[in-house]
Amino acid sequence: MSIKSISITNLLSFDQFIINEFENVNVIVGKNNVGKSNLVKLIRFFYNKLDGRKELPPSLNSNYSTKGVISIVFDTTKIRQIVKAGSGRDNSYFKDIYDALIKNKTENNATNLKAPSLWDFLNSPSDLTSYTLTLTIHSNGASEWDTKNYKALQFINNLFPFFEVDTRHINLHDWDKIWTLIGKSKSLDINKVSEDDFAKFIDNQMESTKGNFNQYLQQIKSVIDVKEFSHQQKIISFIKAGLKGDQFVINGGETTHQSDGTNSFSYINTLLKLLVLISKSEYIAPFIFIDEPELGLHPKKCEALIHDIFASMQNTEKVNTKIILATHSPNIVKEVVKKFTVNQQVLHFSKAHNSTTKMQVMNSQYEGNNFLSTFGENEARLFFSDFILFVEGETELEFFGNIKLQDYFPVLKTVDIYKSSSNTISEKLNPSYSNTSIQYLFLFDADKAYGFSVGSTNIFKLKNNGSLFDLRPSDKKNVDNNIDTRIQKFKKGYSLEYKEIHSELIKLKSFHKKKMETIRHKLFFKNKQQFIEFQKTLQNYLLNENVKVLNSTFEGSLICVESKDLFLKCWCSGNPMNLNYKRL
């Protein structure tokens, strides 16, 4: 039992937005001002309306429509299981839930549809074990639910409580919100204990002063007038009495004596552990949104936080808590991906051209341990990139990281350079594989795309480079994405773009296993123009695959005929022999 999906229409930065499903841990990544905070604002507004609070409504995304909508689907499977198992058959509370969330739902949605009986419900397919609640916000500020059954609203609020932690505004020395959580999360029928029964119990326990407590209460009532405890407040007061205290401590010390970082870590950690613990034994399904948990925390503390969450959620079948972490921390992303190999997802938020929020579910679950063993903070930071340039070696890293070069080409400061010497790693980190809108380019030496066997045969061969591109014709070992498969794909297109790509592929294929004559010292081809045309065609085609192949090597591009004078000048000026580059 848990929250299943959220859809938003025409509110704040959202046009048509949906999160189809939630895992135990959900990480939202993206730049500032792409809509992460807007999501929590709308969920908060939804739940504040469930609480009956008066609040200014969120603005519409577009005034072309007169309304906006927040719709949340809740999974009620666990309630069904409890009643079906027998533990709740005679419990009026569960039957009330059935009446509010199942019976009335079918009656409201279809007047001619007979609502299932309780026992039909218990044996029904899964489509009757979810409840959709929709809040409509009108342009005039009014809002309304899609149901007039206020018991249903109350049950949803109690069964699927929402908690929010904004680390920028935590009162690090006042943890009373945790008491609110404790009181809201546990389903105790505390109303069965009356004030008189409670007073009599206390008096019976204090035999030597029998009647004094009840008498003292009556005396106080005659002097002061107080508002009665709410149901939650009653639960909290009983729990505090059972715990013999209500002041939180960290490692035996008061919160006022701890650093802000220690307090923030302990606050979030305590909150999450409580939610997970309660949801394992209760039929409630807490839903918590933590905005930037990394603020004030050392990177190792971020890792410890995720480790503790993972440890508390080991028995995932019984955990109903859904956690959303909106973060800018590669450390947190790394730990979530590595610890929660399943039951996690990374949601990439970005802004579309019309300034509306766009979301993509990243492919963040990796099979096998080979990739995860190398997945670290350096890899996780790519989830936050504007542009990724994948390179082969240290020379490229040093070159593109040169401060003077970055000053001359400021755009390089916005590019993340990643050394990807392994195809296994680069294929997994490829934004196309990860399913993000991050722009990227692979920069390869020429030997990644083609080779030439110098000798009696002088054979020119096209190469395979894994999932990025395969220029070889089909054979029994390779039939997935080779050049023949691509030729057939683009042959079917009628657009000018498809026709150009198809033509390029035909030209490239004609070079595979082609005999190329060389000059006497075998440094150049005799038909130089033919080879230049091949290189040009190769470059044009591979750019469609976000790949740039150099004409030789990266070092060969830096030191070549065009740059030899500059290179010799620089080299000789720093040479202890003080050589004259003009003479060289």
Side-chain angles (χ1 to χ4, degrees):
M1 189 176 90
S2 61
I3 185 170
K4 293 181 73 172
S5 68
I6 292 178
S7 61
I8 301 168
T9 303
N10 196 37
L11 289 169
L12 298 180
S13 61
F14 302 105
D15 179 19
Q16 293 289 337
F17 177 89
I18 185 169
I19 300 177
N20 280 312
E21 61 179 335
F22 287 91
E23 298 288 353
N24 289 137
V25 178
N26 308 269
V27 181
I28 298 178
V29 300
K31 297 190 293 185
N32 290 325
N33 198 36
V34 294
K36 300 189 299 293
S37 297
N38 284 342
L39 177 61
V40 72
K41 285 177 184 176
L42 293 176
I43 299 173
R44 182 198 306 141
F45 180 79
F46 185 95
Y47 272 88
N48 282 346
K49 296 300 289 183
L50 279 177
D51 283 331
R53 300 182 192 177
K54 292 183 178 180
E55 187 177 352
L56 289 174
S59 60
L60 301 182
N61 175 265
S62 170
N63 291 323
Y64 287 108
S65 176
T66 60
K67 64 182 181 181
V69 175
I70 307 170
S71 188
I72 301 182
V73 179
F74 302 93
D75 179 9
T76 56
T77 304
K78 195 170 183 181
I79 295 295
R80 175 186 176 184
Q81 291 173 345
I82 291 172
V83 180
K84 189 173 183 178
S87 58
R89 290 183 182 179
D90 298 323
N91 189 320
S92 60
Y93 182 70
F94 289 106
K95 290 180 180 178
D96 286 344
I97 293 175
Y98 160 75
D99 288 339
L101 303 184
I102 307 300
K103 182 178 179 180
N104 283 322
K105 181 183 77 167
T106 53
E107 289 177 344
N108 290 338
N109 291 346
T111 55
N112 296 323
L113 179 65
K114 182 181 177 182
S117 69
L118 178 60
W119 305 115
D120 289 337
F121 160 62
L122 296 179
N123 298 287
S124 64
S126 59
D127 59 344
L128 286 179
T129 57
S130 66
Y131 185 87
T132 303
L133 184 59
T134 300
L135 179 66
T136 300
I137 298 100
H138 297 279
S139 57
N140 62 2
S143 59
E144 60 183 354
W145 297 104
D146 65 338
T147 178
K148 300 300 181 184
N149 186 343
Y150 294 102
K151 271 195 172 182
L153 301 181
Q154 181 183 354
F155 282 132
I156 288 295
N157 201 12
N158 291 336
L159 294 172
F160 304 92
F162 172 66
F163 302 96
E164 174 193 356
V165 177
D166 186 347
T167 53
R168 289 161 294 191
H169 301 109
I170 294 177
N171 187 335
L172 297 175
H173 308 304
D174 180 6
W175 292 18
D176 280 349
K177 282 189 176 181
I178 289 185
W179 287 120
T180 303
L181 181 156
I182 292 171
K184 194 173 184 179
S185 299
K186 184 65 178 176
S187 57
L188 297 173
D189 196 356
I190 206 80
N191 292 325
K192 291 182 178 180
V193 182
S194 68
E195 288 79 0
D196 290 339
D197 290 339
F198 175 73
K200 289 176 182 178
F201 173 79
I202 297 297
D203 279 332
N204 288 333
Q205 297 300 310
M206 299 185 297
E207 294 182 3
S208 59
T209 56
K210 195 170 184 179
N212 283 356
F213 182 72
N214 195 20
Q215 183 180 358
Y216 185 52
L217 284 179
Q218 298 306 319
Q219 290 173 348
I220 294 175
K221 283 183 179 180
S222 67
V223 177
I224 63 175
D225 191 16
V226 295
K227 182 181 178 181
E228 285 191 12
F229 274 145
S230 67
H231 179 76
Q232 289 178 20
Q233 289 170 332
K234 286 182 181 179
I235 294 176
I236 292 170
S237 63
F238 273 62
I239 292 174
K240 285 182 177 180
L243 292 173
K244 302 178 182 179
D246 67 350
Q247 296 296 312
F248 291 95
V249 295
I250 301 173
N251 298 325
E254 296 182 11
T255 58
T256 53
H257 298 161
Q258 311 296 329
S259 69
D260 285 353
T262 299
N263 276 335
S264 179
F265 173 81
S266 299
Y267 180 91
I268 297 172
N269 209 5
T270 301
L271 189 68
L272 289 173
K273 284 182 176 179
L274 275 171
L275 285 172
V276 172
L277 177 67
I278 292 168
S279 72
K280 280 184 177 181
S281 58
E282 280 292 294
Y283 52 81
I284 68 160
F287 180 48
I288 183 167
F289 193 112
I290 304 178
D291 197 6
E292 299 188 33
E294 68 272 14
L295 291 183
L297 297 185
H298 185 277
K300 285 297 179 184
K301 278 291 187 182
C302 290
E303 294 179 6
L305 179 65
I306 303 304
H307 174 79
D308 288 350
I309 296 172
F310 175 74
S312 65
M313 298 179 79
Q314 281 298 290
N315 191 351
T316 53
E317 290 184 359
K318 293 185 178 180
V319 174
N320 298 309
T321 304
K322 300 298 182 185
I323 301 171
I324 294 182
L325 305 170
T327 182
H328 295 286
S329 167
N331 248 19
I332 286 180
V333 173
K334 175 200 70 174
E335 286 301 303
V336 168
V337 170
K338 296 190 77 165
K339 289 284 193 304
F340 296 87
T341 52
V342 294
N343 297 317
Q344 57 86 357
Q345 66 178 350
V346 179
L347 308 175
H348 186 266
F349 277 40
S350 59
K351 276 285 183 72
H353 295 300
N354 59 357
S355 295
T356 60
T357 297
K358 176 184 176 184
M359 188 212 72
Q360 292 167 278
V361 180
M362 297 186 67
N363 187 0
S364 59
Q365 297 183 8
Y366 304 97
E367 296 181 0
N369 294 321
N370 291 340
F371 175 74
L372 285 178
S373 63
T374 60
F375 187 84
E377 187 177 358
N378 195 39
E379 286 69 35
R381 71 181 172 85
L382 300 181
F383 285 26
F384 302 87
S385 299
D386 290 326
F387 192 103
I388 308 171
L389 178 61
F390 294 91
V391 298
E392 287 192 70
E394 297 293 338
T395 303
E396 292 94 323
L397 284 179
E398 184 178 352
F399 177 81
F400 289 112
N402 185 281
I403 296 176
K404 290 186 177 180
L405 186 70
Q406 290 183 352
D407 288 339
Y408 196 77
F409 298 102
V411 69
L412 287 175
K413 296 177 182 179
T414 67
V415 177
D416 280 305
I417 314 298
Y418 181 79
K419 177 187 171 184
S420 180
S421 54
S422 165
N423 272 0
T424 301
I425 296 175
S426 61
E427 287 171 6
K428 294 290 192 298
L429 294 176
N430 185 339
S432 293
Y433 177 88
S434 299
N435 188 36
T436 70
S437 55
I438 298 171
Q439 299 182 72
Y440 68 97
L441 181 70
F442 283 87
L443 182 64
F444 289 127
D445 291 345
D447 63 344
K448 288 285 186 178
Y450 59 87
F452 184 71
S453 301
V454 178
S456 58
T457 57
N458 288 351
I459 295 297
F460 193 89
K461 292 183 179 180
L462 300 177
K463 291 187 176 182
N464 167 37
N465 197 15
S467 64
L468 293 177
F469 61 86
D470 186 356
L471 301 176
R472 300 174 305 174
S474 63
D475 55 40
K476 293 181 180 180
K477 296 180 180 179
N478 177 53
V479 294
D480 292 332
N481 199 30
N482 55 67
I483 197 167
D484 284 333
T485 305
R486 305 291 282 175
I487 287 173
Q488 290 302 314
K489 173 185 174 181
F490 289 101
K491 183 180 180 180
K492 298 175 183 178
Y494 294 98
S495 67
L496 179 61
E497 179 186 6
Y498 266 50
K499 288 180 179 178
E500 288 178 351
I501 294 175
H502 180 260
S503 175
E504 289 168 351
L505 287 167
I506 295 294
K507 287 181 183 178
L508 291 177
K509 182 181 178 180
S510 67
F511 275 86
H512 186 62
K513 293 187 177 181
K514 184 174 184 177
K515 189 170 183 179
M516 302 278 286
E517 297 296 329
T518 60
I519 60 177
R520 183 175 55 84
H521 51 61
K522 300 186 183 299
L523 291 178
F524 300 101
F525 294 112
K526 285 185 176 180
N527 190 342
K528 187 177 180 181
Q529 187 59 37
Q530 185 183 41
F531 180 62
I532 292 174
E533 283 296 319
F534 163 78
Q535 288 181 318
K536 183 180 178 181
T537 303
L538 178 69
Q539 299 288 3
N540 289 339
Y541 168 68
L542 288 182
L543 281 177
N544 295 310
E545 307 293 329
N546 293 77
V547 174
K548 170 70 175 178
V549 172
L550 300 170
N551 289 337
S552 57
T553 63
F554 188 76
E555 290 80 5
S557 299
L558 295 178
I559 306 171
C560 55
V561 174
E562 289 80 4
S563 65
K564 65 179 178 61
D565 288 343
L566 179 62
F567 170 74
L568 289 173
K569 182 178 180 179
C570 294
W571 183 75
C572 292
S573 64
N575 192 292
M577 298 177 64
N578 198 25
L579 297 175
N580 188 321
Y581 84 93
K582 289 184 178 180
R583 178 167 56 86
L584 292 174

